[in-house]
Amino acid sequence: MPVLKIIRSRLLHAVFISACMVLHLYAQPVVSREYQIKAVFIFNFTQFVDWPQTAFPDADAPLVIAVLGDNPFGSYLNETVAGEKINGHPVIVQYYNRTEEIQNCHILFIALSDPQKSEQVISGIKGKSILTIGDSPDFLKRGGMIKFFKRKNNIRFEINPAATKSASLTLSSKLLRVAELFDPSKKS
């Protein structure tokens, strides 16, 4: 009889572990294909932007990609940059819920639903060498640097050169050639 109890106990334990694993898989947020593509774009931007030396506290400091607000990337952004280095700097991802948490980052994806708050964030980091990225319709008008948008089911991006210049960021001509350039004098 004790052998039957041991088998039953182990069987129940295995069923419990299996159920927990299934629940864990269902609890993982599903990242849309759109944000998987945007994650790859964001990583690729690191290869076409030059930050001033003062943007890194030392030669071994990481290049930090940050997400402010709701994280639309799930774990995909972390997976995209895992083990990568740009000019000797390891690439890492950090997540912030509040503007006050932003310390030292190089790319900031602003995922706030309130455009006024996005504008406040952009104003608050003015003068810092942080590449700001977003996907709200008026992101560039509010001072953002790169805005994602969709055209014919393709992810495209538009760059605000004046904003990048004011942050002392140098964009590669290769990046500028494939982007649309924001003209503040044009009405959208």
Side-chain angles (χ1 to χ4, degrees):
M1 278 303 210
V3 172
L4 248 55
K5 284 185 180 181
I6 292 172
I7 292 173
R8 187 178 322 155
S9 170
R10 289 191 177 162
L11 188 59
L12 285 173
H13 183 71
V15 167
F16 176 75
I17 295 295
S18 298
C20 288
M21 289 172 65
V22 167
L23 287 174
H24 177 72
L25 288 174
Y26 281 109
Q28 295 295 317
V30 176
V31 178
S32 71
R33 180 81 176 127
E34 175 181 347
Y35 281 95
Q36 290 178 354
I37 293 168
K38 289 178 182 179
V40 172
F41 267 119
I42 290 170
F43 171 69
N44 285 330
F45 292 154
T46 64
Q47 300 171 59
F48 297 100
V49 176
D50 286 326
W51 283 266
Q53 289 215 260
T54 56
F56 296 93
D58 57 63
D60 297 331
L63 186 147
V64 179
I65 298 172
V67 177
L68 175 64
D70 294 330
N71 174 17
F73 300 101
S75 63
Y76 200 77
L77 187 56
N78 287 60
E79 293 166 10
T80 301
V81 305
E84 297 290 345
K85 284 189 171 193
I86 300 297
N87 297 326
H89 299 281
V91 181
I92 64 170
V93 180
Q94 295 180 346
Y95 300 92
Y96 305 124
N97 292 312
R98 298 182 337 267
T99 310
E100 301 79 37
E101 295 174 313
I102 300 170
Q103 296 299 317
N104 186 26
C105 71
H106 301 90
I107 295 178
L108 179 63
F109 184 86
I110 301 174
L112 301 173
S113 57
D114 181 352
Q116 299 292 0
K117 286 185 181 177
S118 293
E119 188 170 12
Q120 290 171 351
V121 170
I122 292 167
S123 290
I125 61 173
K126 212 169 210 72
K128 295 183 179 180
S129 297
I130 299 174
L131 181 71
T132 56
I133 303 173
D135 52 16
S136 62
D138 57 350
F139 186 73
L140 299 180
K141 288 181 184 176
R142 296 183 180 276
M145 298 176 193
I146 298 179
K147 176 186 84 168
F148 288 119
F149 65 94
K150 278 177 130 176
R151 181 178 294 141
K152 297 181 182 178
N153 289 325
N154 291 318
I155 304 297
R156 304 273 306 148
F157 59 95
E158 186 175 13
I159 295 176
N160 182 341
T164 59
K165 187 176 181 180
S166 72
S168 302
L169 299 175
T170 305
L171 304 183
S172 164
S173 61
K174 292 176 184 177
L175 182 63
L176 294 171
R177 275 194 297 260
V178 296
E180 292 189 19
L181 299 181
F182 174 66
D183 182 353
S185 66
K186 282 186 177 178
K187 293 183 182 180
S188 36

